[in-house]
């Protein structure tokens, strides 16, 4: 039976069916959605209202092998009395995810949000506007099975909005591009068709792109701190410090995320590269050689398109760069997976340490 409070946060007949199949009811567990991430403590929404929760010891132990940890947007099974801190025991199967390669040398996924229907990619129409960065955000959405929508914010600061929209549409075929100005209250009706009841949308973009201002605008009240950007380069500071979910007046739930300084891709096997650069892959199918690298081969349809002016050379360069990045990440993840598997074997079945000498650079 559906609960009105959970329904406000996206619970549906589909999630109820997954819950019934999980067998959690027999274990006296209750469904909850993670609505904020504060590190060790998570904020949950249950059928009885909000509460704090933390991961069980068993789940923390399993994380060592699986790498799976709860994220904002997850539906989880919890135990505990109303008004007390809940214990999180398991996660219902994720339907989509927004994630990236975590910063640092270790190959590791950083999950930003889960079970997202639409990713609102925010780019400000100021000095920090960057098409190559937008291509990365589009890739992140497709890789996680999420529909991207591009929001060009601060349109009041741009003298030629239509030209900028045209440039973005050129690198985002089939993706809706909306130009908005929260300061001048322009374009909200264009955005509201993505904010229907029962849907989950997430906001992402660089620091200073105006995400917090958009959250306040959509909510109709100030729920997020906002700061001005530097005038000389339009760069902003982090005002959102953690991932958090809001119920919008339009009926959707919104996940706001901290701004990103860099975006290293994480491939979930969703063919994000093909989605984001579909026209290049269609041209590649016409190349003379199947293994064409699109750099110097004769009969390369991609290079011919560049010479004809129908394809931007910078777009090809970004495609090749991200293709190389994803292949490298995949090799590193395969190597890391082998190491995790080896370390999980019984002690007497492991090889002596001096025999296991595979190095990262040999796998790369």
């Amino acid at each position: 039976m559906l609960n009105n409070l959970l329904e406000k946060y996206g619970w549906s007949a589909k999630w109820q069916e997954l819950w019934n199949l999980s067998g959690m009811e027999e274990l006296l567990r209750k469904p909850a959605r993670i609505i904020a991430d504060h590190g060790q403590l998570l904020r949950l929404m249950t059928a009885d209202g909000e509460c704090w929760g933390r991961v069980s010891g068993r789940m923390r132990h399993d994380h060592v092998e699986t790498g799976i940890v709860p994220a904002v947007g997850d539906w989880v099974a919890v135990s505990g009395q109303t008004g007390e801190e809940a214990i999180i025991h398991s996660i219902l199967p994720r339907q989509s995810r927004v994630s990236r390669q975590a910063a640092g040398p270790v190959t590791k996924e950083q999950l930003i949000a889960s079970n997202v229907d639409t990713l609102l990619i925010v780019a400000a129409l100021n000095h920090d506007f960057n098409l190559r960065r937008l291509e990365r955000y589009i890739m992140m959405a497709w890789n996680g099975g999420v529909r991207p929508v591009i929001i060009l914010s601060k349109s009041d600061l741009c003298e030629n909005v239509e030209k900028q929209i045209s440039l973005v549409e050129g690198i985002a075929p089939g993706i809706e591009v909306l130009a908005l100005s929260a300061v001048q209250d322009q374009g909200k009706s264009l955005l509201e068709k993505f904010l229907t009841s029962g849907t989950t949308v997430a906001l992402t973009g660089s620091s200073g792109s105006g995400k917090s201002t958009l959250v306040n605008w959509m909510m109709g009240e100030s729920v997020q701190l906002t700061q001005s950007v530097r005038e000389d380069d339009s760069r902003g500071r982090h005002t959102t410090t953690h991932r958090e979910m809001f119920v919008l007046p339009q009926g959707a739930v919104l996940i706001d995320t901290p701004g990103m300084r860099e975006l290293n891709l994480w491939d979930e096997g969703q063919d994000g590269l093909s989605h984001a650069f579909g026209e290049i892959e269609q041209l590649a199918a016409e190349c003379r050689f199947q293994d064409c690298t699109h750099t110097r081969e004769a009969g390369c349809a991609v290079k011919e398109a560049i010479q004809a002016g129908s394809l931007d050379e910078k777009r090809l360069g970004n495609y090749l760069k991200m293709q190389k990045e994803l292949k490298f990440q995949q090799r590193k993840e395969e190597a890391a997976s082998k190491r995790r598997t080896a370390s999980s074997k019984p002690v007497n079945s492991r090889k002596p340490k001096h025999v296991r000498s595979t190095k990262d650079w040999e796998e790369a």
Side-chain angles (χ1 to χ4, degrees):
M1 184 176 178
L2 301 183
N3 175 275
N4 287 336
L5 188 53
L6 289 182
E7 282 187 84
K8 283 181 61 178
Y9 283 83
W11 190 256
S12 64
K14 177 187 70 176
W15 287 111
Q16 185 66 53
E17 182 179 359
L18 288 172
W19 177 260
N20 294 339
L21 292 172
S22 71
M24 289 294 107
E25 204 74 47
E26 290 85 355
L27 297 174
L28 302 180
R29 309 288 193 235
K30 298 179 293 185
R33 194 168 200 188
I34 299 176
I35 61 174
D37 183 351
H38 295 271
Q40 293 295 321
L41 279 177
L42 301 165
R43 196 69 181 160
L44 306 174
M45 177 57 65
T46 72
D48 300 318
E50 286 190 36
C51 68
W52 291 102
R54 67 174 67 243
V55 173
S56 69
R58 174 63 181 272
M59 194 172 181
R60 280 198 305 271
H61 177 270
D62 291 344
H63 161 62
V64 176
E65 293 186 13
T66 65
I68 297 175
V69 293
V72 174
D74 273 329
W75 288 101
V76 295
V78 303
S79 64
Q81 300 298 317
T82 302
E84 297 179 356
E85 186 178 281
I87 302 299
I88 301 169
H89 298 277
S90 62
I91 303 171
L92 286 183
R94 291 166 177 152
Q95 305 303 295
S96 64
R97 62 209 295 135
V98 178
S99 63
R100 65 175 177 173
Q101 160 66 36
V106 179
T107 302
K108 180 182 178 182
E109 178 188 24
Q110 181 186 17
L111 187 59
I112 298 166
S114 65
N115 300 316
V116 175
D117 299 300
T118 301
L119 181 65
L120 304 178
I121 303 168
V122 184
L125 289 174
N126 55 19
H127 300 109
D128 198 37
F129 182 72
N130 188 309
L131 291 175
R132 306 286 79 84
R133 186 191 301 140
L134 273 176
E135 288 173 336
R136 283 185 165 266
Y137 281 109
I138 292 168
M139 273 276 295
M140 179 174 69
W142 289 133
N143 275 339
V146 181
R147 176 180 61 172
V149 171
I150 297 175
I151 306 297
L152 301 181
S153 63
K154 305 183 182 182
S155 62
D156 54 291
L157 302 179
C158 181
E159 295 180 355
N160 197 336
V161 174
E162 292 303 319
K163 179 182 177 181
Q164 299 297 71
I165 291 175
S166 179
L167 288 173
V168 174
E169 288 176 340
I171 60 110
I175 298 173
E176 294 213 40
V177 182
L178 313 177
L180 311 175
S181 172
V183 173
Q184 296 188 349
D185 196 26
Q186 295 177 351
K188 186 183 285 188
S189 60
L190 300 174
L191 181 59
E192 287 182 334
K193 67 178 180 179
F194 300 105
L195 309 179
T196 56
S197 297
T199 61
T200 298
V201 297
L203 273 180
T204 190
S206 301
S207 300
S209 61
K211 297 189 306 302
S212 296
T213 300
L214 280 174
V215 172
N216 294 337
W217 188 43
M218 287 186 280
M219 288 290 292
E221 59 179 311
S222 295
V223 294
Q224 291 289 68
L225 175 69
T226 61
Q227 295 184 26
S228 60
V229 299
R230 298 196 298 258
E231 292 186 6
D232 56 345
D233 60 2
S234 297
R235 299 303 294 273
R237 293 165 289 176
H238 294 298
T239 51
T240 301
T241 57
H242 60 275
R243 291 172 281 280
E244 186 171 1
M245 182 181 288
F246 301 92
V247 178
L248 297 174
Q250 296 84 353
V253 288
L254 171 72
I255 300 174
D256 191 18
T257 66
M260 298 185 190
R261 293 295 190 199
E262 62 180 50
L263 176 53
N264 296 317
L265 299 172
W266 181 268
D267 187 6
E268 274 298 314
Q270 295 282 350
D271 294 326
L273 199 68
S274 298
H275 278 97
F277 295 90
E279 83 281 22
I280 293 180
E281 300 217 338
Q282 286 179 2
L283 287 168
E286 300 174 12
C287 291
R288 181 182 301 176
F289 305 106
Q290 288 187 347
D291 59 349
C292 184
T293 62
H294 319 306
T295 53
R296 59 179 65 88
E297 294 90 342
C300 174
V302 177
K303 298 296 287 185
E304 290 173 0
I306 290 174
Q307 292 169 3
S310 58
L311 178 66
D312 184 357
E313 189 169 12
K314 290 182 180 179
R315 180 159 168 79
L316 173 62
N318 208 27
Y319 167 80
L320 295 175
K321 180 180 179 180
M322 286 194 271
Q323 185 183 58
K324 183 177 180 180
E325 182 180 328
L326 289 175
K327 287 180 179 178
F328 179 70
Q329 180 249 317
Q330 184 180 25
R331 291 196 297 269
K332 289 195 70 176
E333 173 57 19
E334 288 173 354
S337 179
K338 289 178 182 177
R339 288 194 293 271
R340 287 194 297 268
T341 301
S343 65
S344 65
K345 293 179 180 178
V347 174
N348 60 4
S349 70
R350 297 180 188 173
K351 294 181 179 179
K353 187 176 288 186
H354 66 275
V355 176
R356 295 182 283 119
S357 58
T358 302
K359 297 178 181 177
D360 281 347
W361 60 266
E362 293 175 327
E363 298 287 339

